[in-house]
Amino acid sequence: MELIGVPGIPEVAAGDDIAALIAKALRDASIEVVEQDVFVVAQKIVSKAEGRIVHLDSVVPSLRALEWAAAFDKDPRVVEVVLHESKRLVRMERGVLISETEHGFVCANAGVDTSNVAEGTVTLLPKDPDASARKIRAANVALGVSGIAPLIDYRGQKDSHGNALKVTVIAIADELASAAELVMRKSAGIPVAIMRGFNYESRDATALELIRVPELDLFR
């Protein structure tokens, strides 16, 4: 397999066409797309294009945000945004906020991010990551997928010693997204990568398939 970083993606602003920006960057870099290529697109540029940006000077922290921020030297405005974006708080201790988002993702800070954005702003996760992926027909954790099965289910098959596999389901979309980070480092300025040579099942799918039901999720 081969990982190809796509250079030349400019700073993204609200309303930008991500697919068009990727197409131009591919042409400028003389990168040809081949059948079965998987595109991995950083959530950050999708959020920016969709206007999922909060200006912190517009945020009024609640008492809860103020108290927690003071205890752990955090910006209370950022804490307030995290609380607002959280459907449920899973952990809130030792300076770490783990929450469940409205999408069902369990992650740090409800996906609210202060990196690679203008000072005084934060980005939020896309409202509908699957729709975002479908829109650009591309998909470090997978938030949205389009055209690729996000899971490989080995249950019912046998391992190399002949033992029946009972619980092995691989979140292949997450693994592809994680692998892409090797060429999409936050400091590299490359928010798009191509995974080439991976044999995957092509079908309509949703990232919701990656979310465990609560009764089987040890983190809920």
Side-chain angles (χ1 to χ4, degrees):
M1 289 188 291
E2 182 181 6
L3 272 173
I4 304 167
V6 180
I9 304 290
E11 180 64 28
V12 173
D16 281 351
D17 185 333
I18 296 295
L21 293 178
I22 293 172
K24 183 179 185 304
L26 290 170
R27 290 194 301 270
D28 291 346
S30 299
I31 298 174
E32 293 188 9
V33 179
V34 302
E35 189 174 356
Q36 291 287 103
D37 275 355
V38 177
F39 279 78
V40 181
V41 180
Q43 163 263 316
K44 182 65 60 65
I45 65 170
V46 176
S47 292
K48 288 180 177 180
E50 295 180 356
R52 297 284 287 161
I53 297 173
V54 174
H55 293 269
L56 294 177
D57 58 8
S58 69
V59 177
V60 179
S62 62
L63 178 60
R64 187 182 193 186
L66 288 167
E67 291 177 343
W68 200 83
F72 297 104
D73 193 27
K74 303 289 184 180
D75 186 328
R77 300 169 301 173
V78 176
V79 175
E80 182 61 33
V81 176
V82 172
L83 295 176
H84 183 269
E85 291 298 302
S86 300
K87 177 181 179 181
R88 181 176 63 89
L89 291 173
V90 179
R91 292 285 186 276
M92 190 176 181
E93 56 184 88
R94 290 177 287 180
V96 177
L97 274 167
I98 304 295
S99 62
E100 180 182 355
T101 70
E102 290 293 339
H103 319 78
F105 303 128
V106 176
C107 56
N109 299 321
V112 175
D113 200 345
T114 60
S115 65
N116 290 321
V117 290
E119 185 176 356
T121 63
V122 296
T123 56
L124 314 178
L125 296 180
K127 278 189 172 295
D128 186 343
D130 286 324
S132 301
R134 288 192 297 270
K135 184 176 180 180
I136 58 180
R137 193 54 176 179
N140 312 21
V141 171
L143 297 178
V145 299
S146 177
I148 179 173
L151 299 170
I152 295 179
D153 191 347
Y154 289 112
R155 290 174 297 182
Q157 300 184 36
K158 293 185 177 181
D159 65 17
S160 59
H161 291 276
N163 300 308
L165 298 172
K166 298 180 180 180
V167 296
T168 306
V169 180
I170 305 298
I172 198 64
D174 278 350
E175 296 197 353
L176 292 174
S178 295
E181 176 65 15
L182 294 172
V183 295
M184 291 171 62
R185 298 182 305 277
K186 283 190 175 184
S187 60
I190 297 178
V192 178
I194 298 172
M195 173 70 75
R196 180 166 295 168
F198 176 69
N199 186 24
Y200 60 89
E201 177 190 354
S202 180
R203 65 172 174 84
D204 289 334
T206 169
L208 294 179
E209 296 177 35
L210 294 165
I211 300 174
R212 290 181 182 272
V213 294
E215 56 268 25
L216 297 178
D217 192 337
L218 298 178
F219 294 94
R220 298 192 191 211

